[in-house]
Amino acid sequence: MNKRIAVILSGCGVFDGSEIYESVITLLRLDQNGAEYQCFAPDIPQHHVINHVTGEEMPESRSVLVEAARLARGNIRDLAECQAADYDALIIPGGFGAAKNLSDFALTGADMTVQADVLKTVQAFAEAKKPVGLICITPAMAGKLFGAGVRCTIGNDGETAEVIRVTGAEHVDCPVHDIVVDEDNKLVTTPAYMLAGSISEAATGINRLVDKVLEMA
């Protein structure tokens, strides 16, 4: 029986949602491994909308769920409906949406609050001893999701790593092609575009993360 993986998206676009390359690489690797996946996103407004040509904020409002549906080719469900019992593992790609929509890390740092459906879902997988993969900036939430002492990585950015330590997590420096595995918490993390200079570099770590999550599932 194929393994079933839940994937949480945070919109569509690196500056205000899910990082598109990271999301596609994740889904592609799952498919290449014969796994089934279901994409989810919280049904909430985006923190803001960024013009990805100019980098400037736009005076409009968009839905995280509706925007994430672009990445999922419309096959997406409200995160509030996700049940850990229905899946073998969970993966969250990166992008600033993780720090703006799935949490407010970009605004409040170590004092962040994780969006209620995200917190509930990840903790349900953790309590069920099912593996979780966090990519790029999403490991910044690890301390809030798993509690003090959880091991994770966002690469080697000292300032961000220190903020993560303040949340109670243990940050481990890691190159772009590698992963950090916390066996006790069944958490796998990789830097991806926190370090990657190309889509190929991002793929090296993401593929290893997906493979490890499936191995642990």
Side-chain angles (χ1 to χ4, degrees):
M1 184 175 180
N2 292 346
K3 293 176 180 177
R4 304 189 69 224
I5 312 300
V7 178
I8 298 178
L9 301 176
S10 61
C12 182
V14 57
F15 298 125
D16 57 11
S18 286
E19 212 293 322
I20 293 173
Y21 292 172
E22 292 179 0
S23 302
V24 172
I25 292 167
T26 297
L27 301 181
L28 174 61
R29 191 62 171 183
L30 288 169
D31 186 66
Q32 288 174 333
N33 278 285
E36 299 177 5
Y37 60 81
Q38 175 63 57
C39 293
F40 293 90
D43 188 9
I44 58 174
Q46 288 186 186
H47 169 68
H48 60 196
V49 179
I50 297 295
N51 181 324
H52 280 62
V53 175
T54 65
E56 297 177 353
E57 186 172 347
M58 299 173 66
E60 61 181 87
S61 177
R62 296 187 186 181
S63 160
V64 171
L65 180 62
V66 172
E67 290 300 295
R70 297 174 180 270
L71 280 170
R73 296 176 61 87
N75 182 15
I76 196 163
R77 296 171 58 189
D78 184 346
L79 182 57
E81 301 173 2
C82 183
Q83 299 295 320
D86 295 334
Y87 300 93
D88 299 298
L90 170 69
I91 299 177
I92 310 180
F96 278 105
K100 296 176 179 178
N101 302 327
L102 303 187
S103 72
D104 57 6
F105 177 73
L107 309 173
T108 61
D111 294 325
M112 84 182 91
T113 299
V114 178
Q115 196 272 338
D117 290 328
V118 176
L119 182 65
K120 177 182 177 182
T121 301
V122 176
Q123 290 186 341
F125 275 84
E127 289 169 6
K129 305 297 183 184
K130 294 183 176 183
V132 174
L134 300 179
I135 297 168
C136 192
I137 192 60
T138 62
M141 300 186 287
K144 300 290 185 177
L145 296 170
F146 291 89
V150 62
R151 298 174 72 250
C152 64
T153 190
I154 49 82
N156 58 16
D157 181 79
E159 184 176 348
T160 305
E162 182 55 35
V163 176
I164 290 173
R165 292 188 188 100
V166 173
T167 69
E170 176 188 345
H171 182 269
V172 181
D173 284 354
C174 178
V176 66
H177 64 270
D178 211 350
I179 57 176
V180 169
V181 181
D182 183 327
E183 296 283 359
D184 291 339
N185 289 290
K186 301 195 78 169
L187 173 65
V188 187
T189 54
T190 194
Y193 271 104
M194 291 296 291
L195 288 179
S198 68
I199 188 170
S200 296
E201 280 193 347
T204 57
I206 294 171
N207 287 344
R208 290 190 70 178
L209 176 142
V210 171
D211 292 352
K212 185 63 178 179
V213 166
L214 291 173
E215 175 190 318
M216 298 172 74

